[in-house]
Amino acid sequence: MKEIVPESPAIVRNQQVAIQQLFQQYVVPSYGRFELAISHGQGSQLWDVNGKRYLDLGGGIAVTSVGHANPEIADALSAQARKLVHISNLYYHEPQGRLAQQIVKHLAPGKVFFCNSGAEANEGLYKLARKFGHDEGRFEIITALNSFHGRTLAGIAATGQDKVKKGFEPMMPGFKHVPFNDLPAVRAAISPATVAVLIEGVQGEGGVTPATAAYLLGLRALCDEKKLLLLMDGVQCGHFRTGRFQSFQRMLEGVPGAEKFLPDGLSMAKSLGNGFPIGAFWIREPYADLLGAGTHGTTYGGNLLGCAVALKVFEIIERDGLAANARKLGEFFRNGIIALAQKYPNVIKGPRGLGLMVGIELGDKDRIAAFAGSDKPAATQFVNRLHEAGLLTVPAGTQIIRLLPALNLSQTEATEGLKIIESVTAKLAA
Ligand SMILES: *Cc1c(COP(=O)(O)O)cnc(C)c1O
């Protein structure tokens, strides 16, 4: 295959400082950004404005599932753009209907609502829950500590981490947090006002922690018993990243009694559009018609461009067997990280996660001499060193770094990535 590496426009070439100055002057400083200005990409490679190449194992935070500048995605996007871009949800169009059909086909009978982001998909689930419980005066949603559900006002209220709430009180009422993977804690938290339970299949921002099969099955039974909706946030762990369409399908494989497990609502975004902003939530029968005409909406949701791209992403993932690739390379990273933990136990504690949602748990900062001098968390310092060595990854909290690469990462690239991680680890251990 001929490598097409677009030349970066002259205005940004070698202009990292100028770009950062633009941000300093004109962009709201709500993000703690790394000192990198990226110019272009191809597959799992990215180039910064100075021409340095990086292997990208962060995937834009689990988004670019079929790789950067994917030519098939670019073709689907431009073909749709030449045909029709936007009509609003006042009218019907084929791509939205076909994309909903794809999602339902991978889950179970139900219906899909389209929006533009993960936080917005979860907003839809909160509204679904409120509508469901409204006539009985039930509205409260139980979520997990260490969860992450987005940055809207309801999203930060739902999220079980104080750092996202700080400064934005009073919190929107109606959310209660309990420890993750702790079924008795959920049972104890249920009140007459409770209407739903919301969890991530694999907690992402909270540190790459999968739910256990027993927890999922226990939640299903508990929700049935108490007439609660079981809602799952599949924004980060979904879309084939764990080796199945949704993480619960992977986690429950071969588990007795799990054949019929389903949540009642499920949110999606990130990998769904490979970087084209699109979110969605699926509602299981018999709740699929709860949000009737006039109850929920968004101007851009399910627009032609997003749906055309998401359909192409589905097609590529299935045609190329990328779920199987996610499983295979997930195992490869997992085994590689176990070996690194044995070799360098002060620096790396071990792997976490499922499929290509990989966490690397780092040793305590004070046990890594090179980290002790800085007040930055171990995860940030490790990620910075990986950048210097040409590898992009994503921190989660203070102790964990995440690999959330494209699902079409090659074995060669995975091997290269692990080698870079080992070289940085070895230096820190020395
Ligand atoms: C990223 C994320 C969200 C928020 O998605 P946005 O598109 O950033 O709004 C919600 N839930 C989980 C689990 C996420 O990882």
Side-chain angles (χ1 to χ4, degrees), residues 61-62 116-122 126 147-152 159 200 202-205 233-237 267 269-270 278 357 402:
I61 319 186
N116 313 286
S117 70
E120 214 186 325
N122 288 329
Y126 315 142
S147 59
F148 182 79
H149 299 297
R151 295 290 195 149
T152 56
T159 293
E200 291 158 87
V202 183
Q203 288 193 334
E205 304 300 309
D233 179 339
V235 169
Q236 186 164 151
C237 59
S267 57
K270 291 201 164 92
I278 179 169
M357 192 167 172
R402 273 176 292 174

Side-chain angles (χ1 to χ4, degrees), residues 23-346:
F23 274 64
Q24 262 143 34
Q25 192 167 355
Y26 300 113
V27 179
V28 171
S30 66
Y31 300 97
R33 295 176 202 267
F34 290 101
E35 299 281 315
L36 287 181
I38 304 296
S39 154
H40 56 278
Q42 188 189 37
S44 286
Q45 321 284 328
L46 283 175
W47 282 263
D48 71 14
V49 293
N50 303 310
K52 178 173 170 175
R53 184 186 76 98
Y54 300 85
L55 177 64
D56 181 15
L57 296 187
I61 319 186
V63 168
T64 49
S65 47
V66 296
H68 297 292
N70 184 305
E72 287 183 276
I73 298 295
D75 286 348
L77 189 57
S78 65
Q80 185 59 54
R82 280 190 296 267
K83 190 176 173 194
L84 188 63
V85 169
H86 176 81
I87 56 168
S88 87
N89 282 301
L90 291 171
Y91 315 107
Y92 295 91
H93 65 79
E94 185 181 353
Q96 187 177 140
R98 283 184 43 224
L99 181 58
Q101 179 187 39
Q102 272 294 321
I103 291 170
V104 169
K105 198 183 91 187
H106 283 84
L107 290 164
K111 289 178 182 166
V112 182
F113 179 93
F114 292 101
C115 52
N116 313 286
S117 70
E120 214 186 325
N122 288 329
E123 289 279 342
L125 294 183
Y126 315 142
K127 281 183 73 175
L128 175 77
R130 287 210 169 182
K131 195 80 170 41
F132 172 70
H134 188 261
D135 293 349
E136 297 164 339
R138 298 194 291 153
F139 60 91
E140 198 172 73
I141 301 173
I142 298 173
T143 72
L145 287 170
N146 270 326
S147 59
F148 182 79
H149 299 297
R151 295 290 195 149
T152 56
L153 276 178
I156 62 175
T159 293
Q161 303 190 51
D162 288 340
K163 68 179 182 196
V164 307
K165 305 177 195 268
K166 226 178 125 205
F168 299 103
E169 299 85 355
M171 280 298 109
M172 205 189 114
F175 294 95
K176 214 186 236 182
H177 313 305
V178 297
F180 189 55
N181 273 332
D182 182 342
L183 191 62
V186 179
R187 184 178 282 279
I190 294 171
S191 78
T194 306
V195 72
V197 176
L198 168 67
I199 59 155
E200 291 158 87
V202 183
Q203 288 193 334
E205 304 300 309
V208 201
T209 311
T212 64
Y215 185 54
L216 291 177
L217 295 180
L219 280 180
R220 183 65 274 175
L222 182 59
C223 287
D224 289 344
E225 177 194 328
K226 303 283 188 187
K227 290 210 177 87
L228 311 179
L229 294 182
L230 176 54
L231 307 175
M232 292 186 74
D233 179 339
V235 169
Q236 186 164 151
C237 59
H239 227 60
F240 305 97
R241 181 155 295 279
T242 60
R244 289 285 295 272
F245 178 55
Q246 291 298 324
S247 64
F248 64 83
Q249 296 168 328
R250 172 82 202 267
M251 293 183 285
L252 293 173
E253 265 175 10
V255 174
E259 297 75 18
K260 289 205 192 110
F261 175 92
L262 281 172
D264 300 309
L266 171 79
S267 57
M268 292 157 249
K270 291 201 164 92
S271 288
L272 189 58
N274 201 51
F276 191 96
I278 179 169
F281 62 92
W282 166 86
I283 311 172
R284 184 169 75 94
E285 293 292 359
Y287 309 113
D289 292 330
L290 268 176
L291 294 174
T295 59
H296 196 46
T298 156
T299 302
Y300 292 136
N303 67 73
L304 289 136
L305 293 180
C307 292
V309 167
L311 280 166
K312 186 55 80 175
V313 171
F314 259 111
E315 185 190 320
I316 296 172
I317 289 175
E318 302 211 293
R319 182 195 67 203
D320 296 348
L322 298 186
N325 193 52
R327 254 172 215 257
K328 184 187 92 177
L329 294 184
E331 263 321 284
F332 170 78
F333 280 122
R334 192 176 175 79
N335 292 332
I337 295 159
I338 289 171
L340 290 183
Q342 280 161 356
K343 221 164 147 188
Y344 310 102
N346 284 359

